[in-house]
Amino acid sequence: MSHPTQRTLITNAVVVTMNDAHDVHFDGAVAIEGDRIASVGSSADVLADVRDGARIIDAKGGAVMPGLVDLHYHTAIGRGWSDHLPLWQILQEFWYPVVRAIDPEAVYWSALASYAESIRCGVTTVNDMYRHIDALGQAAEEIGIRAVLSNIVADAEHGLDSLEDNASGHRSRDGSANGRIEVKIGIEWLPLASIGLLRDASELAHDLGTGIHIHLNESVGEVEISKEKFGRRPTEVAYECGILGSSTVAAHCVWLSDTEIGLMRDTGTHISHNPTSNAKLGNGVARLLDYLQAGINVGLGHDSTEGVNTGDMFEVMKFASLMQRAVRMDANVLQAGDLLHMVTRNGSDALGHETGMLAEGKKADVIVIELDDVGFTPLVPGNRNQLYSHLAFASHGRAVSTVVIDGAVVMRERELLTVDEEKILRKANEAFVRILDRAHVGSVQTHI
Ligand SMILES: [Zn+2]
């Protein structure tokens, strides 16, 4: 990993800034000093400013853009093991038994494998709700990803995490690695939470000066349970317990009523829209356009690879648009520029970060996407709209060649520089086999 005070210069780049003017510098460069972006612009302008001694990254004509933000994330240990069950069943029969059985060692290797995949796909920030925050923090610190961590907090009888576990994780890891790692309060969901727990979670987040990460209105079943258990819909209950607010990320929100949309808007709550997860688990299609129209800040998340099999946010971006267009029968909505904005700036804003845009003074989370590829052909020189379309609709994680996070080069020419990837894959496999045995979950059930 490069030294934090090092200067890095990315040259020979098509710089996609994602600034308010949507500036793209077709013969551009980005200069990084320490953990911040020092300058962005045409090659001539940036090079004139740069002092000697910078490490040079030749983008070879590739697109250089802000790193992607995965706003709803769970480290995953068991991809591809339970693929054809509805949400409630997959949780009861696979995910809860597995996450109850995991230990810090298994979490550490699974987190390294999950984060390695994300970095390979151009993700520089993960909003990861999982267990054993020390192990997650250790993995994030070593691999170099920007990570917002939280526990899976539920009422005690469910055998998951407590608010004290989360507070302890906050004490040990919040603000570590030059502020690259933060800890927020994670609440699993309302079917596993009491009013008392929700109120205590809100109070704890307030006392610690941190935010909240919660699943809300993911499935019709969840809404029905909430109505039976509390007499109100999930977001109404969350509002009354002080869970909503400008430091809260609510994941999914597939089934929001008009009243609940109003509560999200009025409290400044951020939504993580997770279309691939919602589709694969049969949960439905969120009213995304209504949320955006209401002025709610909406970012994108993949959820977990146990649910959707890949952490590739380019796939999530594309699904976000295609599902809305299919349902609305309208090819004009959620255009490429909107999607790129959601996966960078909206995600960053939701977490209160200084990333998501290439501009002087911002944190240096930057990725390089190779454009010299048949999948991005043709590309008319100087045409921003065609470039945006390629990035949002034709790209995929494997097109990402180089990743810089907090000013440090963590992947160069598709090689992870911070960790031994071969060892991670081996250890992550061993961890799953070990935990599978302990969790007593059955084998894959399919029609065949
Ligand atoms: Zn989730």
Side-chain angles (χ1 to χ4, degrees), residues 72 74 215 252 303:
H72 181 58
H74 307 280
H215 295 102
H252 298 300
D303 202 358

Side-chain angles (χ1 to χ4, degrees), residues 72-87:
H72 181 58
Y73 194 103
H74 307 280
T75 277
I77 187 171
R79 182 199 328 247
W81 193 256
S82 188
D83 263 346
H84 310 291
L85 298 175
L87 179 65

